[in-house]
mmCIF file of all heavy atoms in Angstrom:
data_model
loop_
_atom_site.group_PDB
_atom_site.id
_atom_site.type_symbol
_atom_site.label_atom_id
_atom_site.label_comp_id
_atom_site.label_asym_id
_atom_site.label_seq_id
_atom_site.Cartn_x
_atom_site.Cartn_y
_atom_site.Cartn_z
ATOM 1 N N ASP J 208 17.957 5.375 4.473
ATOM 2 C CA ASP J 208 17.152 4.160 4.777
ATOM 3 C C ASP J 208 16.747 4.133 6.233
ATOM 4 O O ASP J 208 15.753 3.402 6.468
ATOM 5 C CB ASP J 208 18.064 2.855 4.435
ATOM 6 C CG ASP J 208 18.339 2.750 2.978
ATOM 7 O OD1 ASP J 208 17.527 3.237 2.210
ATOM 8 O OD2 ASP J 208 19.200 1.966 2.611
ATOM 9 N N HIS J 209 17.408 4.862 7.110
ATOM 10 C CA HIS J 209 16.983 4.791 8.472
ATOM 11 C C HIS J 209 16.116 5.916 8.962
ATOM 12 O O HIS J 209 15.666 6.030 10.080
ATOM 13 C CB HIS J 209 18.292 4.773 9.331
ATOM 14 C CG HIS J 209 19.071 3.499 9.230
ATOM 15 N ND1 HIS J 209 20.128 3.397 8.271
ATOM 16 C CD2 HIS J 209 19.001 2.302 9.806
ATOM 17 C CE1 HIS J 209 20.634 2.278 8.322
ATOM 18 N NE2 HIS J 209 20.077 1.456 9.296
ATOM 19 N N ILE J 210 15.941 6.855 7.960
ATOM 20 C CA ILE J 210 15.229 8.020 8.340
ATOM 21 C C ILE J 210 13.717 7.682 8.682
ATOM 22 O O ILE J 210 13.126 8.132 9.720
ATOM 23 C CB ILE J 210 15.180 9.116 7.266
ATOM 24 C CG1 ILE J 210 16.543 9.801 7.229
ATOM 25 C CG2 ILE J 210 14.069 10.155 7.452
ATOM 26 C CD1 ILE J 210 16.782 10.732 6.098
ATOM 27 N N PRO J 211 13.027 6.829 8.038
ATOM 28 C CA PRO J 211 11.631 6.405 8.263
ATOM 29 C C PRO J 211 11.511 5.900 9.720
ATOM 30 O O PRO J 211 10.589 6.226 10.496
ATOM 31 C CB PRO J 211 11.244 5.449 7.224
ATOM 32 C CG PRO J 211 12.076 5.697 6.129
ATOM 33 C CD PRO J 211 13.398 6.133 6.688
ATOM 34 N N LEU J 212 12.406 4.965 10.170
ATOM 35 C CA LEU J 212 12.342 4.498 11.474
ATOM 36 C C LEU J 212 12.571 5.592 12.537
ATOM 37 O O LEU J 212 12.015 5.541 13.521
ATOM 38 C CB LEU J 212 13.410 3.385 11.648
ATOM 39 C CG LEU J 212 13.062 1.948 11.257
ATOM 40 C CD1 LEU J 212 14.138 1.005 11.363
ATOM 41 C CD2 LEU J 212 11.932 1.468 12.040
ATOM 42 N N LEU J 213 13.518 6.472 12.226
ATOM 43 C CA LEU J 213 13.743 7.715 13.122
ATOM 44 C C LEU J 213 12.467 8.482 13.292
ATOM 45 O O LEU J 213 12.103 8.844 14.442
ATOM 46 C CB LEU J 213 14.976 8.552 12.630
ATOM 47 C CG LEU J 213 15.321 9.684 13.462
ATOM 48 C CD1 LEU J 213 15.689 9.237 14.876
ATOM 49 C CD2 LEU J 213 16.365 10.499 12.743
ATOM 50 N N VAL J 214 11.838 8.795 12.168
ATOM 51 C CA VAL J 214 10.588 9.585 12.265
ATOM 52 C C VAL J 214 9.520 8.826 13.144
ATOM 53 O O VAL J 214 8.847 9.500 13.875
ATOM 54 C CB VAL J 214 10.075 9.876 10.889
ATOM 55 C CG1 VAL J 214 8.721 10.507 10.860
ATOM 56 C CG2 VAL J 214 10.987 10.666 10.137
ATOM 57 N N LEU J 215 9.460 7.541 12.888
ATOM 58 C CA LEU J 215 8.470 6.679 13.561
ATOM 59 C C LEU J 215 8.728 6.756 15.106
ATOM 60 O O LEU J 215 7.806 6.875 15.930
ATOM 61 C CB LEU J 215 8.351 5.251 13.089
ATOM 62 C CG LEU J 215 7.508 4.293 13.723
ATOM 63 C CD1 LEU J 215 5.933 4.841 13.528
ATOM 64 C CD2 LEU J 215 7.697 2.835 13.238
ATOM 65 N N ALA J 216 10.070 6.596 15.447
ATOM 66 C CA ALA J 216 10.442 6.724 16.779
ATOM 67 C C ALA J 216 10.088 8.017 17.486
ATOM 68 O O ALA J 216 9.574 8.130 18.627
ATOM 69 C CB ALA J 216 11.863 6.358 17.015
ATOM 70 N N VAL J 217 10.303 9.070 16.750
ATOM 71 C CA VAL J 217 9.966 10.481 17.274
ATOM 72 C C VAL J 217 8.388 10.523 17.508
ATOM 73 O O VAL J 217 8.069 11.098 18.504
ATOM 74 C CB VAL J 217 10.468 11.528 16.305
ATOM 75 C CG1 VAL J 217 10.020 12.906 16.667
ATOM 76 C CG2 VAL J 217 11.935 11.561 16.229
ATOM 77 N N LEU J 218 7.683 10.056 16.509
ATOM 78 C CA LEU J 218 6.226 10.125 16.699
ATOM 79 C C LEU J 218 5.764 9.264 17.911
ATOM 80 O O LEU J 218 4.795 9.754 18.694
ATOM 81 C CB LEU J 218 5.546 9.505 15.401
ATOM 82 C CG LEU J 218 5.111 10.523 14.323
ATOM 83 C CD1 LEU J 218 4.507 9.759 13.186
ATOM 84 C CD2 LEU J 218 4.102 11.481 14.836
ATOM 85 N N CYS J 219 6.411 8.168 18.161
ATOM 86 C CA CYS J 219 6.013 7.433 19.422
ATOM 87 C C CYS J 219 6.298 8.134 20.634
ATOM 88 O O CYS J 219 5.535 8.110 21.546
ATOM 89 C CB CYS J 219 6.706 6.068 19.272
ATOM 90 S SG CYS J 219 6.130 4.914 18.097
ATOM 91 N N VAL J 220 7.511 8.830 20.703
ATOM 92 C CA VAL J 220 7.888 9.483 21.898
ATOM 93 C C VAL J 220 6.922 10.708 22.044
ATOM 94 O O VAL J 220 6.456 10.954 23.203
ATOM 95 C CB VAL J 220 9.403 10.048 21.773
ATOM 96 C CG1 VAL J 220 9.720 11.029 22.878
ATOM 97 C CG2 VAL J 220 10.350 8.915 21.733
ATOM 98 N N ALA J 221 6.607 11.397 20.881
ATOM 99 C CA ALA J 221 5.711 12.541 21.060
ATOM 100 C C ALA J 221 4.301 12.146 21.546
ATOM 101 O O ALA J 221 3.694 12.778 22.425
ATOM 102 C CB ALA J 221 5.607 13.219 19.706
ATOM 103 N N ALA J 222 3.911 10.999 20.958
ATOM 104 C CA ALA J 222 2.533 10.418 21.496
ATOM 105 C C ALA J 222 2.560 10.013 22.879
ATOM 106 O O ALA J 222 1.527 10.413 23.559
ATOM 107 C CB ALA J 222 2.165 9.252 20.554
#
Side-chain angles (χ1 to χ4, degrees):
D208 286 344
H209 295 91
I210 289 178
L212 274 175
L213 179 61
V214 173
L215 182 61
V217 171
L218 266 177
C219 289
V220 172

